[in-house]
């Protein structure tokens, strides 16, 4: 083989080798980490399917409002438990030691890509208040969440959705106690 033929062969093989190396490192990064299960709810039931993905928001166990209803966290969190079961999630403070950190981008509403039919089915199930969705995801060492699947089960009676908790709070009328001195309460 002449030197020119070797240079041409190298010019063809070098980009292919670079592309193969890039693919291998991306595949290895995507498959690293532990698999966890977290409850999810539809991010906004008024959103329509945009392409072949479903928008969701993770409802982290342990992050609740003052009334005990679950709330969405937009801060980095720390997962406690043994994969795949999450026992508690704590909002991460700067300098806090954490074995399973989730970065800020992953706590924001996410996207789960699926076929058109599956995405439409997931959207209907996310909107059903009788069902609770569970996201199976891989938590990479860099704190990035990689969604793997969303499954559904009947919602336990003692675990209301955010929407059900908000509806129940609106139905409760405040009770005005009369003042102890016998005067009328302020209006």
């Amino acid at each position: 083989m002449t030197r020119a033929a070797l240079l041409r062969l190298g010019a063809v093989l070098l980009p292919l080798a670079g592309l193969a190396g890039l693919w291998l490192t991306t595949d290895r990064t995507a498959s690293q980490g532990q698999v966890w299960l977290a409850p999810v709810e539809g991010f906004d039931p008024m959103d329509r399917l945009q392409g072949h993905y479903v928008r969701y928001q993770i409802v982290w166990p342990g992050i609740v409002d003052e009334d005990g209803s679950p709330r969405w966290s937009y801060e980095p969190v720390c997962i406690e438990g043994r994969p795949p079961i999450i026992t508690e999630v704590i909002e991460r403070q700067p300098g806090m030691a954490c074995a399973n950190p989730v970065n800020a981008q992953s706590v924001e509403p996410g996207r789960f890509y699926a076929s058109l039919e599956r995405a439409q089915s997931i959207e209907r199930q996310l909107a059903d208040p009788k069902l609770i969705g569970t996201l199976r995801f891989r938590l990479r060492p860099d704190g990035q969440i990689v969604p793997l699947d969303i499954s559904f089960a009947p919602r336990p009676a003692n675990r209301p959705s955010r929407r059900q908790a908000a509806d129940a709070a609106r139905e409760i009328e405040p009770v005005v106690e009369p003042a102890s001195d016998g005067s009328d309460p302020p209006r």
Side-chain angles (χ1 to χ4, degrees):
M1 233 187 216
T2 66
R3 183 173 181 200
L6 285 175
L7 286 174
R8 276 187 238 126
L9 182 62
V12 170
L13 293 179
L14 188 60
L16 290 176
L19 184 61
L22 181 62
W23 178 80
L24 284 173
T25 56
T26 302
D27 184 59
R28 187 171 353 123
T29 302
S31 63
Q32 288 179 342
Q34 298 174 330
V35 175
W36 296 87
L37 300 172
V40 293
E41 291 187 352
F43 175 61
D44 183 357
M46 299 307 289
D47 278 351
R48 293 286 171 225
L49 184 67
Q50 299 176 19
H52 298 281
Y53 63 86
V54 176
R55 291 180 55 104
Y56 64 86
Q57 177 66 46
I58 296 175
V59 181
W60 295 111
I63 298 182
V64 295
D65 285 331
E66 295 79 31
D67 64 357
S69 64
R71 74 172 166 86
W72 292 337
S73 175
Y74 296 102
E75 301 297 323
V77 297
C78 183
I79 296 175
E80 294 183 0
R82 188 171 178 182
I85 306 301
I86 298 173
T87 55
E88 186 179 20
V89 174
I90 302 168
E91 289 181 311
R92 233 172 55 211
Q93 304 301 321
M96 177 181 170
C98 179
N100 302 299
V102 177
N103 64 26
Q105 293 85 10
S106 288
V107 295
E108 294 175 359
R111 290 182 181 176
F112 176 70
Y113 290 89
S115 69
L116 179 61
E117 295 81 23
R118 173 105 165 96
Q120 289 172 336
S121 171
I122 290 171
E123 266 197 349
R124 282 191 303 275
Q125 290 173 310
L126 282 172
D128 187 345
K130 294 181 231 149
L131 296 176
I132 185 166
T134 301
L135 175 70
R136 187 169 66 91
F137 65 89
R138 176 172 283 117
L139 180 61
R140 294 189 338 204
D142 64 356
Q144 184 69 30
I145 285 178
V146 179
L148 301 174
D149 191 22
I150 296 179
S151 59
F152 294 88
R155 183 179 300 276
N158 63 347
R159 192 156 172 204
S161 68
R162 284 185 82 241
R163 194 174 7 187
Q164 289 170 328
D167 290 345
R170 279 194 294 273
E171 290 175 6
I172 298 173
E173 293 185 29
V175 176
V176 179
E177 300 275 333
S180 60
D181 63 0
S183 63
D184 288 335
R187 295 182 189 231

